[in-house]
Amino acid sequence: MKRFALAAALTLAALPVLADPVTIATARGPVSLPAAPASVAVFDVAAADTLTALGVTPSGLPDKLYVQYLDPKAAAPIGTLFEPDLEALSALAPDLIIVGARSAAQFDAVAQVAPAIDMSISADVVGDARARLAAYGALFGKEAKAAELATALDARIAALQAAATGKGDALIVLTNGPKISAYGRGSRFGWIHDTVGLPEAWPALKPEVHGDAISFEFIAEVDPDWLIVVDRGAATGAEGPSAAETLNNPLVAGTKAAKAGQVVMLNAADLYIAGGGYQALMENLAELLAALKG
């Protein structure tokens, strides 16, 4: 009987210790997962950005990430942001798969390989960035690091809001080759108004995902104090005129923003591709802070 009890105890001691599940917030509601997954495949640039900021190294990444500070060769290739390579994903056998806005449509497909979570970033970019940072911190046992990063984010936003006080209004535009769209509150870039504190130069813009198509005449009529520019072509590596070339126009040059040297070209890949990722967000906020301080 004693031998049986000893054998049973040794057997139990040899079994892996399963971590208690952790419940985190996702784009599809709260999800409970085993803590500290050893292997994670990531189909979202913002997620890969925040994970690496926390010191978590993804095991699988898409072939192209568009941002310079993330290296897709540092992990196993698992397809693209829009088309996962399910065979490669199965071979990797990750403990967890993360999808985001561009890969969310593939959630059901990748969830057949391993547990999956949707960590898409909504128009509430800063709010979701904070939520994702806290979720990843809890999931991977990086709570202290997540708190440290959140404190740095709060400090940068406070400095930015102080610098923006009394500096006038802003118009946010995206160029796509020769085409121009404007973005207001509620849109994918509208968080800049809410977070920085620069009011909209044209409050009637619709909160459309792809913005409102505008003309040079519109920019001249609005005549913003600040013109904040996102170059989609630069973000995606597309051919065509750059934002600087497109906006090199007498109507734009006559605006208060251009005359005062207050046309801000943000890092487009950080904003357009990795929006909501911690490192991308901090970089864009730093660019805005530097511009406002002059």
Side-chain angles (χ1 to χ4, degrees):
M1 192 69 176
K2 290 182 179 179
R3 289 182 180 179
F4 176 79
L6 178 61
L10 291 173
T11 299
L12 290 172
L15 291 175
V17 178
L18 298 179
D20 291 334
V22 175
T23 300
I24 62 170
T26 78
R28 304 189 184 205
V31 174
S32 292
L33 297 164
S39 173
V40 56
V42 182
F43 287 98
D44 181 64
V45 181
D49 171 319
T50 301
L51 287 173
T52 56
L54 284 168
V56 177
T57 301
S59 302
L61 287 169
D63 296 337
K64 194 171 183 179
L65 296 174
Y66 299 97
V67 292
Q68 295 181 348
Y69 56 89
L70 294 178
D71 181 9
K73 296 180 181 178
I78 51 175
T80 70
L81 288 172
F82 296 97
E83 296 184 8
D85 183 336
L86 296 179
E87 185 175 344
L89 191 61
S90 296
L92 181 64
D95 298 314
L96 178 68
I97 301 169
I98 299 175
V99 300
R102 291 177 174 83
S103 53
Q106 301 297 326
F107 180 90
D108 291 339
V110 300
Q112 297 180 46
V113 177
I117 53 174
D118 182 353
M119 303 300 268
S120 296
I121 303 292
S122 71
D124 181 15
V125 171
V126 176
D128 281 354
R130 284 196 178 100
R132 303 294 176 260
L133 182 62
Y136 296 139
L139 181 60
F140 290 93
K142 301 280 187 177
E143 292 93 343
K145 183 64 175 179
E148 175 189 326
L149 296 178
T151 298
L153 173 60
D154 291 341
R156 184 155 298 177
I157 290 174
L160 188 54
Q161 290 175 345
T165 301
K167 293 294 179 66
D169 55 32
L171 179 67
I172 304 168
V173 300
L174 176 142
T175 66
N176 186 10
K179 300 177 182 179
I180 316 170
S181 300
Y183 292 77
R185 277 195 165 91
S187 71
R188 68 189 302 173
F189 306 131
W191 65 268
I192 294 174
H193 290 296
D194 298 323
T195 302
V196 178
L198 291 173
E200 296 172 282
W202 188 265
L205 291 170
K206 298 176 182 178
E208 300 290 341
V209 173
H210 299 293
D212 283 335
I214 61 169
S215 63
F216 298 124
E217 288 79 8
F218 176 85
I219 296 176
E221 179 185 351
V222 172
D223 195 19
D225 294 304
W226 293 85
L227 187 61
I228 299 173
V229 183
V230 185
D231 187 339
R232 184 185 182 279
T236 62
E239 296 182 358
S242 67
E245 292 170 327
T246 296
L247 297 174
N248 184 16
N249 179 282
L251 291 170
V252 177
T255 62
K256 289 180 291 187
K259 289 178 179 178
Q262 294 178 171
V263 178
V264 185
M265 300 275 184
L266 293 179
N267 184 304
D270 285 353
L271 190 62
Y272 184 77
I273 301 293
Y278 180 83
Q279 297 174 80
L281 179 58
M282 289 291 280
E283 175 62 25
N284 285 148
L285 293 176
E287 291 169 336
L288 289 165
L289 181 59
L292 288 165
K293 283 187 171 182

